[in-house]
Amino acid sequence: SFMAAETMGADLKLTQTGQQVAFVIQLEVEVADHVPAKSSADSHSGAATVVFPCDLCICCIDDSEAARRLLHHHLVTLANTKQVHMFGANEEEVEEFKRTSLATGHIAILDQHLEYGGNSNILGTDIIADLVAQGFTGLVCMRSGNTADEDVEMYKAAGAHCVFGKDVPVKQMIAELKVAYHQHIAKPKVASESALLIEDAIEVQNSDAYIFESLPGSPMAIASSSSQPLQRAEGGIEQRYLARYGPSAFP
């Protein structure tokens, strides 16, 4: 397809002579004299590369069949998952996309303009706003042909975490999507740690104790007002921190 050729940086032409129709593709390549061997440093670097968690559920919606096929092929190949679900062949699939994303989706990839003839022009930003309103917590990615600064601001205001133009090669998009996903899943962890600290600090205060170290994510040193270790009562805050941080959490 023309979109696939554009992704590869190739020039694709369609010509017709009489009853014959020909597709001509031109692609610039460089022929190497030899394939360089990987050094140990390269191998170490590759081992440290961040990868997608196994079998993420990725839901994509686009009204272009060519775009859906291209995304599906590359996501299954590069994103370490077989759970890639494509939607957008017709207007009815918009609601199916929402249901699947909300039920099992980790990543949602949307096109901004979904056109199905007549006056039907469904906006990806409206779908994103609906997903967010219903509690979707996964990564939201907008993939659109419109990526001017004002468009990007509009997408992010609706709830998109990252934006890619359709002129961006799909392999590059997936590589950047991987980084964005890891950044996204790290944020709730930090937020939940902070919420836990606030909740437990209040509980400690109410139990006539105090916290003298309270850095999010680090073991908590908990002592009573007389600087003696609190008793590890079953089900109490001490047990929660013991299970979460280990024995070193207590003096």
Side-chain angles (χ1 to χ4, degrees), residues 4 7-8 68-81 84 169-174:
T7 300
M8 295 186 295
R68 293 195 300 272
R69 286 183 177 181
L70 189 65
L71 276 174
H72 185 273
H73 170 74
H74 281 87
L75 286 168
V76 169
T77 303
L78 302 174
N80 194 30
T81 181
V84 179
V170 179
K171 287 184 178 181
Q172 177 184 335
M173 185 201 82
I174 294 175

Side-chain angles (χ1 to χ4, degrees), residues 105 150 198 235 240:
E150 57 269 22
I198 294 173
R240 294 216 302 275

Side-chain angles (χ1 to χ4, degrees), residues 156-238:
K156 291 190 174 181
H161 301 104
C162 52
V163 178
F164 298 99
K166 287 194 172 181
D167 58 335
V168 176
V170 179
K171 287 184 178 181
Q172 177 184 335
M173 185 201 82
I174 294 175
E176 295 181 16
L177 189 69
K178 175 174 59 177
V179 175
Y181 180 75
H182 279 277
Q183 292 175 342
H184 177 70
I185 61 176
K187 290 179 181 178
K189 182 177 180 181
V190 172
S192 64
E193 291 286 350
S194 299
L196 177 66
L197 294 179
I198 294 173
E199 174 190 346
D200 288 345
I202 294 173
E203 185 175 338
V204 172
Q205 184 179 20
N206 291 339
S207 66
D208 194 29
Y210 65 89
I211 298 174
F212 53 84
E213 183 184 359
S214 58
L215 296 176
S218 62
M220 304 298 298
I222 304 176
S224 67
S225 55
S226 61
S227 299
Q228 296 299 319
L230 292 172
Q231 296 298 314
R232 292 174 172 77
E234 185 68 30
I237 179 175
E238 302 82 6

Side-chain angles (χ1 to χ4, degrees), residues 7-233:
T7 300
M8 295 186 295
D11 183 23
L12 179 64
K13 295 180 180 179
L14 173 65
T15 61
Q16 181 173 357
T17 305
Q19 298 298 318
Q20 292 185 337
V21 178
F23 287 89
V24 180
I25 185 169
Q26 293 181 330
L27 182 64
E28 292 186 6
V29 298
E30 292 184 6
V31 180
D33 294 332
H34 66 283
V35 178
K38 282 189 175 182
S39 67
S40 58
D42 292 334
S43 302
H44 179 75
S45 176
T49 301
V50 176
V51 298
F52 276 109
C54 185
D55 283 334
L56 289 179
C57 178
I58 304 177
C59 300
C60 310
I61 186 165
D62 198 304
D63 59 357
S64 165
E65 182 180 359
R68 293 195 300 272
R69 286 183 177 181
L70 189 65
L71 276 174
H72 185 273
H73 170 74
H74 281 87
L75 286 168
V76 169
T77 303
L78 302 174
N80 194 30
T81 181
K82 294 182 179 179
Q83 296 194 67
V84 179
H85 307 284
M86 308 305 299
F87 304 90
N90 52 59
E91 193 169 345
E92 288 70 28
E93 289 192 1
V94 173
E95 291 303 318
E96 189 178 351
F97 167 79
K98 292 180 186 178
R99 287 194 298 270
T100 305
S101 297
L102 289 167
T104 60
H106 297 101
I107 299 176
I109 303 175
L110 304 91
D111 183 19
Q112 169 63 349
H113 293 285
L114 303 170
E115 300 177 351
Y116 299 104
N119 296 324
S120 178
N121 182 22
I122 301 171
L123 299 179
T125 44
D126 290 341
I127 299 175
I128 292 174
D130 199 8
L131 289 176
V132 173
Q134 295 187 60
F136 182 70
T137 59
L139 179 74
V140 179
C141 170
M142 180 66 81
R143 182 173 182 265
S144 174
N146 304 102
T147 54
D149 290 345
E150 57 269 22
D151 295 317
V152 173
E153 289 179 8
M154 177 177 63
Y155 303 152
K156 291 190 174 181
H161 301 104
C162 52
V163 178
F164 298 99
K166 287 194 172 181
D167 58 335
V168 176
V170 179
K171 287 184 178 181
Q172 177 184 335
M173 185 201 82
I174 294 175
E176 295 181 16
L177 189 69
K178 175 174 59 177
V179 175
Y181 180 75
H182 279 277
Q183 292 175 342
H184 177 70
I185 61 176
K187 290 179 181 178
K189 182 177 180 181
V190 172
S192 64
E193 291 286 350
S194 299
L196 177 66
L197 294 179
I198 294 173
E199 174 190 346
D200 288 345
I202 294 173
E203 185 175 338
V204 172
Q205 184 179 20
N206 291 339
S207 66
D208 194 29
Y210 65 89
I211 298 174
F212 53 84
E213 183 184 359
S214 58
L215 296 176
S218 62
M220 304 298 298
I222 304 176
S224 67
S225 55
S226 61
S227 299
Q228 296 299 319
L230 292 172
Q231 296 298 314
R232 292 174 172 77

